[in-house]
Amino acid sequence: MKRTVYKIFLIFSAAVLCFNLVACSENKKQNETENATAANIDTADNEVNSDWKFGQVAMGGGGLVTGIFSTSEENLYYARTDVGGAYRWDNSEEHWVSLSYSISEADKGLLGIDGFAVDPNAPNKIYLLAGTEYYSSGKTAVMRSEDYGKTFETVEVTDMITVHGNGNGRQNGERIAVDPNDGNVIFAGGRKGGLIKSSDSGKTWAAVDSFPIKSTENGNGINGIVIDQLTGKIYAAVSQKGTENIFVSDNSGESWSAAKGLPADYMPQRIKSDGAGNIYITYGASEGPSTEGGGGIYRINVNGSVQNISPAEKCFGDIVISADDSSRLVACTESVWSSQPNGSFGDEFYISEDSGKSWRCINGDMKMSNGGADWVTNYAMHWCGSMAIDPFDANTVMVTSGNGIFRCNNIWDDSPEFVFFVKGLEETVPLDCISIPNGELFTAIGDYDGFENINIAEYGRTHTERIGTTTSIAVAGLNTDIRVKVGGNESEQKLLYTENGGDSWTYITNKPNEKIPSYNGSVAVTADGKNIIWSTSGIGGSYYTADRGDTWEKIKGVQGGYYVIADTVNPNYVYACGKDGLSVSSDCGKSFTATALSTEIGRVSLSNGCEGTIYIPFRDNGLFVTEDHGQSFTKIASVKSCTAVGTGKGKDDSSPNVIYIWGQPDESSAEGIYMSEDSGASWERINDDLHQFGGLGNGNFIVGDNNIYGRCYISTVGLGLIYCDKINTERV
């Protein structure tokens, strides 16, 4: 009987399917040296599943770091990001350690950190004010830790205040502060809801009804709180202009008054105390981080007088005060586009050694270094909304940027040098990933193109032709030097191909349809590299070209918005999946025919080296597989639900490819990452409660490594590309 009709049946014997996959397993030996290096990356301080190692593929920064903090402990720093959680600097290993691996998929909004506080007298105690407006139903929480962020207790405060870690003004701050004279007392401000207070180190919270502002027109609310150690006064900044925007309490928040003499035509950006009663406030024309117009720096002196100490009438992001000599100040602008040493345009840096009476802009004197991350060489320090100065070494300052953190160890020298300071801090948003057999890891990310990593522990090569956000990549199965990538926007098509493994790229400028914008979406290239298939975003439609874009033909059978992928063995076959299920092309992508699997499915995965073998994540309906190009399907009975699926190298050349899923094998299993070495007959859980990574994020994929047994990769909201590495196992 021919398998030409839809057949769903349970796997009564996994051996049959296993035999078929073993027969087509052509995986090669993996790089043992690379395995050992990757396994030595310290990425988590607590691991429940000791059989696995977890980390982030080394790309180097890539996202907006919204806060940087020095502490009362030497060489201990913390950082917060807008979509990628929080980090702690591990000085012994000289890299940043993520504090956010334990965030669950349901709580992925807590990867947006809108405020960060360190107990000034106990730097092991930290508090994260977390929440993202469009995730986790807008949940807002204070995440409190007493062990340097190794573990957290999460206290939800949504019924009192809400925040938005990825909203405008996310680099303002800080919205949460610990009383330096009583570590039990903490104040936190919301974008909406006003001010709240805890008297038991963040375990419980109550509204501060006396605070006069509950929300602002721009939705940024209370955007800075500081408590001065000498006077005990509490200062709260409010993101508004045209009226008072700094409020003061000298009675623990029982009553408040507006500070006088400050500019009402600018919005406060950051507020700082020197611990001796003097308060510094940076101002800009809007909440930022992208802002135009003037601003400045003002100081409220301990005697109550106000001084304008602005170096220039520009938006200033932050200011820091030397702990050794309070007359020494360092300030940075925010979204001021001036020349920097590498020829790019970004923010300005000023130093003062006389309490702000005079300033020197150091842009013309300073140097910049990429810190080993070649991709950032020609990028600017920009959106510089937060700075920290080391209390143990006043020569050292750190500044946040839209692409990471820069550190300067000689700020008072004639020619200070800023070095990219992001080792271990990975805040990219992965959108696509391919493990090339006998080759490198090829990725696409938001904002900064993507990378080619030969060793996941070392920074990879960024795409040589940069197009910004890259939504899809493809590699020809029979000639992996031929690759395609796509990005762009409604006004600019960015579709490129390479025939030399990415050493150089060629733009395809001819548009498939002059009347409808073609951009983003998903691309595929047939196994022989001849045909390019492009399913564009939205109403753009789907097209193919057999002549590198000189001419285009509209594809029959599928519209735009599909995920397309080509068979790695047979050039005739291309697959498309999405809201209407799975469709198959047997004519090199020119036309597609719908299969009987006709309801919405996730991104499919091809089993490398196995023609026609496709794994289909069917969400709550589990996991399906076809071995005959979609003519018939088998439901893998051991999987209850499957959001994403990928395949990777088997244990040896006689073993089937490993299947990886994000899903749930059965009712008693937690949803998470699993692997099967026996074609789905049984499953081993990979991750644990301390390694949930906020789920699969925008990319919504899991990809197995085609060269290394026991390794897979997952996309995230903003934690970069996570790898899961099976350890204590023999690899050949």
Side-chain angles (χ1 to χ4, degrees), residues 569-687:
V569 178
N570 190 331
N572 293 323
Y573 283 93
V574 185
Y575 313 104
C577 62
K579 60 182 181 298
D580 297 322
L582 178 69
S583 295
V584 177
S585 171
S586 59
D587 57 6
C588 306
K590 299 175 184 178
S591 63
F592 284 77
T593 301
T595 67
L597 210 60
S598 58
T599 56
E600 185 172 3
I601 58 175
R603 166 176 164 164
V604 302
S605 176
L606 307 184
S607 189
N608 181 54
C610 302
E611 180 186 340
T613 298
I614 315 167
Y615 288 92
I616 305 108
F618 212 166
R619 308 187 191 282
D620 290 341
N621 293 311
L623 176 64
F624 285 70
V625 63
T626 175
E627 298 176 74
D628 52 14
H629 308 287
Q631 295 184 62
S632 64
F633 298 90
T634 298
K635 185 181 190 301
I636 296 180
S638 57
V639 178
K640 177 181 179 294
S641 66
C642 181
T643 301
V645 62
T647 62
K649 177 179 168 56
K651 192 169 186 177
D652 53 50
D653 288 343
S654 63
S655 300
N657 289 331
V658 176
I659 308 170
Y660 299 94
I661 65 168
W662 182 285
Q664 186 179 8
D666 54 57
E667 290 284 357
S668 63
S669 304
E671 184 179 48
I673 308 169
Y674 292 83
M675 71 176 290
S676 174
E677 299 186 62
D678 51 16
S679 303
S682 62
W683 297 89
E684 172 190 349
R685 188 176 183 194
I686 292 174
N687 70 318

Side-chain angles (χ1 to χ4, degrees), residues 65 67-80 86-92 94-99 116-118 123-124 126 148-149 387-400 405-409 421-422 425:
V65 181
I68 180 75
F69 313 95
S70 55
T71 71
S72 59
E73 183 175 320
E74 191 170 7
N75 296 318
L76 174 64
Y77 315 123
Y78 294 100
R80 68 173 172 95
Y87 286 83
R88 181 188 69 247
W89 176 251
D90 184 331
N91 196 61
S92 62
E94 296 187 326
H95 65 76
W96 292 95
V97 176
S98 172
L99 307 182
F116 193 109
V118 185
N124 58 299
I126 61 174
Y148 297 95
M387 298 183 75
I389 191 166
D390 193 326
F392 297 91
D393 181 3
N395 292 304
T396 296
V397 297
M398 293 161 283
V399 61
T400 63
I405 301 171
F406 287 81
R407 175 175 174 170
C408 176
N409 292 330
F421 183 52
V422 296
L425 195 157

Side-chain angles (χ1 to χ4, degrees), residues 392-663:
F392 297 91
D393 181 3
N395 292 304
T396 296
V397 297
M398 293 161 283
V399 61
T400 63
S401 173
N403 43 34
I405 301 171
F406 287 81
R407 175 175 174 170
C408 176
N409 292 330
N410 61 339
I411 191 63
W412 304 109
D413 288 1
D414 291 337
S415 183
E417 181 178 14
F418 286 83
V419 179
F420 203 41
F421 183 52
V422 296
K423 185 179 179 182
L425 195 157
E426 301 290 346
E427 204 211 345
T428 54
V429 178
L431 298 176
D432 206 354
C433 174
I434 299 172
S435 173
I436 300 175
N438 300 311
E440 67 270 36
L441 185 68
F442 185 37
T443 56
I445 63 174
D447 294 330
Y448 294 108
D449 301 278
F451 292 83
E452 300 152 18
N453 285 77
I454 297 174
N455 184 329
I456 63 170
E458 298 177 359
Y459 296 142
R461 179 181 74 168
T462 190
H463 298 181
T464 53
E465 187 66 40
R466 298 182 178 182
I467 63 173
T469 294
T470 303
T471 59
S472 180
I473 51 179
V475 176
L478 300 178
N479 184 353
T480 59
D481 282 342
I482 299 175
R483 305 174 188 182
V484 185
K485 66 176 181 175
V486 67
N489 52 52
E490 290 188 19
S491 62
E492 187 175 12
Q493 170 181 308
K494 292 184 178 179
L495 178 65
L496 302 87
Y497 69 89
T498 177
E499 296 179 342
N500 55 21
D503 289 341
S504 62
W505 293 82
T506 301
Y507 275 87
I508 295 177
T509 56
N510 186 35
K511 297 179 180 180
N513 189 327
E514 290 294 337
K515 296 181 180 180
I516 302 175
S518 300
Y519 62 100
N520 286 349
S522 175
V523 291
V525 58
T526 51
D528 57 8
K530 293 182 179 179
N531 280 21
I532 297 171
I533 297 88
W534 184 15
S535 184
T536 70
S537 293
I539 62 172
S542 294
Y543 305 86
Y544 78 90
T545 176
D547 53 17
R548 297 294 191 259
D550 288 342
T551 60
W552 289 94
E553 295 292 336
K554 191 172 180 61
I555 292 173
K556 299 176 182 179
V558 294
Q559 302 302 313
Y562 277 75
Y563 174 75
V564 290
I565 186 170
D567 196 282
T568 60
V569 178
N570 190 331
N572 293 323
Y573 283 93
V574 185
Y575 313 104
C577 62
K579 60 182 181 298
D580 297 322
L582 178 69
S583 295
V584 177
S585 171
S586 59
D587 57 6
C588 306
K590 299 175 184 178
S591 63
F592 284 77
T593 301
T595 67
L597 210 60
S598 58
T599 56
E600 185 172 3
I601 58 175
R603 166 176 164 164
V604 302
S605 176
L606 307 184
S607 189
N608 181 54
C610 302
E611 180 186 340
T613 298
I614 315 167
Y615 288 92
I616 305 108
F618 212 166
R619 308 187 191 282
D620 290 341
N621 293 311
L623 176 64
F624 285 70
V625 63
T626 175
E627 298 176 74
D628 52 14
H629 308 287
Q631 295 184 62
S632 64
F633 298 90
T634 298
K635 185 181 190 301
I636 296 180
S638 57
V639 178
K640 177 181 179 294
S641 66
C642 181
T643 301
V645 62
T647 62
K649 177 179 168 56
K651 192 169 186 177
D652 53 50
D653 288 343
S654 63
S655 300
N657 289 331
V658 176
I659 308 170
Y660 299 94
I661 65 168
W662 182 285

